[in-house]
Amino acid sequence: MFDLEKLIRPNIKGLKPYQSARDEFSGLAEVSLDANENPFGFGLNRYPDANLTDLKKEFAAFRNVDSNRLIFGNGSDELIDLLIRAFCEPGQDRILIFPPTFGMYEVCGNINNVEVQKQNLNEDFQIDIESVKPKLNDSNLKLIFVCSPNNPTGNSIHRETILEITKNFDGIVVVDEAYSDFTDSSLVSEQIPNLIVIQTFSKAIGLAGIRLGVGIGNTEVIDVLNKVKPPYNVNALTQQKAIEALKRPDEIKKQVSILVEERKRMSQTLPTIEGIRRVYSSDTNFLLVEFDDAQEVYNTLAENGIVVRDRSKQVANTLRITVGTPEENDRLLSVLREENYSTSGRTGECLRSTSETQILVKINLDDPSNSHSNTGIPFFDHMLDQIARHGAIGLNIQTKGDLQIDPHHSIEDTALALGTAFDNALGERKGIERYGFLLPMDDSLTQVAIDFGGRPWLEWEADFKATHVGDMPTEMVSHFFKSFSDTARCNLNIKAEGDNDHHKIESIFKAFARALKMAVRKDESGVLPSTKGVL
Ligand code: PMP
């Protein structure tokens, strides 16, 4: 039988909790001279509401729970610690955890000198209930931590297993639902006396910076925790930000649904990449991925500015990859794919990062087998695909720019980065044809002549009737080529005529691609195509 009185540490049972100034007076204070605050200050001179009245009300509505069943902490990390301090006698009591799992349960146990008993998850990352049952009669086992969905494996623990544990155990079962918003299952509505669910504002609600966690459980258990917690553990700014977010449930849902979609896309795409052995199924906002050599992939990603978590010590050869924005995920995919590129041939790269854009361009002039462009501007991506296809070059472009302003910086900076990557790939420019020239057409007639002679120049003769084609401003077309010629150090002479702007622009990009293909082609001589001796 669950008996709270028997479970609480004797010193906590007898504890007279700290009475804050604001606890003692419940009327309407017109002049507050009770808490030794500075009456001037900077707008936050008063202690925050220690009872979290508004936050509790808002969260209770958000989750459809009774506000008496709530306790808030400075992150759910604080609640884990509070639970151990309230119920486990140091040097005597135990907690049970199921590795591989979230590291803080063990750390908090160790800090409090409370033994951490472990039973590994089985090969499906589930709890083997039959092996747990004999452990449940131990009167010194006070808390069982079940992380569901589990970090770092990503799967949910079967609901029936958790409920079975609560039935057969006289202590408290703590279910950590940090990631439950990324799946549809939660135990918050279960009114089980010895169950406490902890959740966090750091994941789905997107407020890791404010440090806020919440425990939802039996009112009597919550009262014990309230006795132990510091009086003002949730500060005023945190309360304010949390309330603001909880008032926008539709936006939270929208963000979660994008992340769930991206998780699906990533789980389908990653297994197609060589070197990836397995992508574990996930109910969270991260994926546990097994590689042939996780350490090497970790290093490659880090060299490319992408940081993931190496979890190989917990699950062999795995990295835990958080699901990011679609652009971030594309960038990760592109770096992972690049690992399998032929590195033979003339390659060039440019990583360009400013306050307006972050761009990664990788090109291979001699291997067109792998190309992908993602700039966030679909029509522009389509044009970059023309360069790759008709130029017969490998072209990988990831651009993350300030599209909320307009596409200008993204297009211009992509062109600059692309030009630099060309410049790098051409090296000393020995043994290239140097000149390219073509006259392709649809309903339009386009001429693009190019000279990789080492000097930038753009001659431009093309007008557009429309201001935009798709989401790309037409004025950015000449700007793209000007920027490219600046950093690729080439002359470009572009003329186009015709009626349909889409065709005209597309034929310019195609003709440019063909001109590029001709100009960068290796000739057999290996000599520098210039009498100056340098290009
Ligand atoms: N529980 C789990 C399972 C987690 O993965 C994390 C953070 N990674 C936490 C709790 C900590 O949450 P908080 O930021 O609220 O302390």
Side-chain angles (χ1 to χ4, degrees):
M1 257 300 273
F2 171 67
D3 180 352
L4 187 61
E5 290 305 305
K6 273 205 220 142
L7 211 61
I8 313 173
R9 287 171 62 197
N11 62 316
I12 304 295
K13 211 191 291 186
L15 179 76
K16 255 182 97 23
Y18 177 77
Q19 281 270 315
S20 69
R22 297 289 140 78
D23 286 337
E24 276 179 13
F25 179 77
S26 57
L28 186 65
E30 286 178 9
V31 178
S32 297
L33 302 177
D34 56 344
N36 301 344
E37 298 144 337
N38 173 347
F40 308 114
F42 301 96
L44 287 164
N45 55 322
R46 300 292 172 194
Y47 281 103
D49 173 11
N51 295 321
L52 308 171
T53 317
D54 293 342
L55 176 57
K56 276 186 190 162
K57 200 170 127 217
E58 209 63 58
F59 190 81
F62 181 73
R63 285 286 188 236
N64 195 19
V65 291
D66 184 339
S67 59
N68 292 330
R69 291 172 54 79
L70 303 177
I71 173 157
F72 288 85
N74 187 344
S76 37
D77 286 349
E78 186 185 29
L79 298 172
I80 296 166
D81 186 59
L82 270 184
L83 279 156
I84 296 179
R85 282 196 287 139
F87 296 106
C88 300
E89 198 58 38
Q92 183 183 308
D93 288 336
R94 280 182 273 285
I95 63 170
L96 174 62
I97 66 169
F98 302 97
T101 193
F102 181 49
M104 277 306 276
Y105 317 133
E106 183 168 8
V107 172
C108 287
N110 290 340
I111 291 171
N112 290 293
N113 190 21
V114 165
E115 189 194 325
V116 181
Q117 205 179 356
K118 297 177 189 171
Q119 179 181 307
N120 286 340
L121 294 173
N122 67 19
E123 58 185 23
D124 297 326
F125 296 141
Q126 288 296 330
I127 295 173
D128 175 11
I129 184 75
E130 292 313 319
S131 323
V132 179
K133 276 187 179 160
K135 301 186 170 111
L136 302 181
N137 293 322
D138 170 1
S139 61
N140 287 118
L141 179 64
K142 296 293 176 66
L143 299 173
I144 298 181
F145 285 91
V146 180
C147 188
S148 181
N150 188 39
N151 175 7
T153 58
N155 62 300
S156 298
I157 304 298
H158 297 318
R159 193 182 181 95
E160 314 78 66
T161 309
I162 303 175
L163 296 179
E164 183 84 2
I165 296 175
T166 61
K167 274 191 211 132
N168 289 282
F169 183 48
D170 290 343
I172 293 175
V173 179
V174 184
V175 178
D176 185 343
E177 289 192 350
Y179 300 98
S180 63
D181 286 299
F182 299 102
T183 171
D184 272 338
S185 141
S186 166
L187 291 173
V188 285
S189 59
E190 297 283 349
Q191 308 249 347
I192 299 171
N194 64 336
L195 171 74
I196 177 159
V197 171
I198 55 177
Q199 297 186 339
T200 176
F201 281 61
S202 304
K203 313 295 172 187
I205 302 178
L207 286 171
I210 67 170
R211 309 301 302 127
L212 188 63
V214 55
I216 306 145
N218 170 352
T219 319
E220 281 139 35
V221 175
I222 297 294
D223 288 347
V224 174
L225 296 173
N226 269 320
K227 243 166 114 172
V228 184
K229 80 166 185 62
Y232 301 114
N233 63 333
V234 177
N235 71 66
L237 290 176
T238 295
Q239 293 186 35
Q240 181 197 322
K241 283 283 165 198
I243 291 167
E244 275 169 29
L246 293 172
K247 286 189 196 300
R248 297 157 73 176
D250 291 345
E251 284 163 74
I252 296 173
K253 269 199 202 120
K254 175 93 197 298
Q255 292 180 7
V256 167
S257 85
I258 293 173
L259 293 172
V260 168
E261 265 306 302
E262 279 296 291
R263 177 181 79 200
K264 185 170 157 206
R265 180 173 76 94
M266 296 296 281
S267 350
Q268 287 167 348
T269 315
L270 285 165
T272 64
I273 296 176
E274 216 179 290
I276 292 183
R277 286 188 195 163
R278 179 169 182 185
V279 178
Y280 287 93
S281 95
S282 171
D283 288 334
T284 66
N285 65 337
F286 60 80
L287 291 167
L288 187 72
V289 184
E290 187 188 344
F291 292 85
D292 288 341
D293 188 340
Q295 177 73 53
E296 194 188 321
V297 176
Y298 179 91
N299 292 339
T300 306
L301 290 173
E303 278 160 23
N304 283 279
I306 299 174
V307 54
V308 296
R309 200 88 198 267
D310 191 343
R311 297 283 83 179
S312 301
K313 285 202 186 109
Q314 293 179 292
V315 183
N317 257 327
T318 53
L319 300 180
R320 192 192 68 192
I321 302 174
T322 306
V323 178
T325 62
E327 295 74 26
E328 288 170 337
N329 300 332
D330 276 337
R331 184 160 157 184
L332 175 106
L333 289 173
S334 120
V335 174
L336 289 175
R337 286 200 193 101
E338 192 83 359
E339 273 301 275
N340 305 310
Y341 280 2
S342 93
T343 43
S344 64
R346 292 166 299 168
T347 58
E349 189 175 315
C350 178
L351 181 63
R352 190 174 199 280
S353 183
T354 68
S355 58
E356 294 165 346
T357 57
Q358 289 86 49
I359 299 168
L360 179 68
V361 174
K362 293 189 174 192
I363 61 171
N364 190 328
L365 298 181
D366 303 308
D367 180 1
S369 63
N370 211 329
S371 283
H372 182 72
S373 295
N374 190 336
T375 62
I377 309 162
F379 184 77
F380 185 42
D381 289 342
H382 183 43
M383 294 304 104
L384 294 170
D385 290 344
Q386 305 304 322
I387 296 178
R389 173 58 61 95
H390 295 283
I393 53 178
L395 185 60
N396 270 268
I397 299 181
Q398 298 299 321
T399 297
K400 197 176 161 196
D402 53 0
L403 293 178
Q404 75 284 5
I405 297 176
D406 71 4
H408 188 109
H409 299 136
S410 292
I411 296 172
E412 175 179 354
D413 293 359
T414 299
L416 292 170
L418 182 62
T420 304
F422 261 92
D423 193 28
N424 294 339
L426 289 172
E428 289 176 48
R429 307 191 176 202
K430 269 188 188 154
I432 60 165
E433 293 281 359
R434 179 176 163 179
Y435 302 106
F437 162 61
L438 191 87
L439 282 170
M441 55 173 293
D442 271 327
D443 64 298
S444 58
L445 175 67
T446 297
Q447 166 186 307
V448 175
I450 196 167
D451 172 14
F452 275 106
R455 289 185 312 277
W457 196 271
L458 175 69
E459 276 297 316
W460 181 261
E461 249 181 60
D463 292 322
F464 303 111
K465 284 179 279 195
T467 60
H468 283 71
V469 173
D471 34 21
M472 184 159 167
T474 48
E475 65 173 16
M476 288 309 293
V477 180
S478 63
H479 201 46
F480 172 88
F481 291 105
K482 170 74 174 68
S483 305
F484 178 88
S485 80
D486 282 346
T487 49
R489 298 187 295 119
C490 65
N491 284 186
L492 272 173
N493 188 307
I494 298 178
K495 290 181 181 149
E497 48 188 74
D499 287 329
N500 182 307
D501 285 345
H502 183 126
H503 288 166
K504 224 195 285 184
I505 294 172
E506 188 163 330
S507 68
I508 291 171
F509 274 89
K510 281 179 174 158
F512 169 67
R514 283 303 176 99
L516 274 181
K517 186 177 169 189
M518 291 167 78
V520 306
R521 190 183 294 152
K522 282 191 258 191
D523 72 10
E524 295 307 310
S525 69
V527 300
L528 188 81
S530 168
T531 50
K532 285 201 192 82
V534 63
L535 275 182

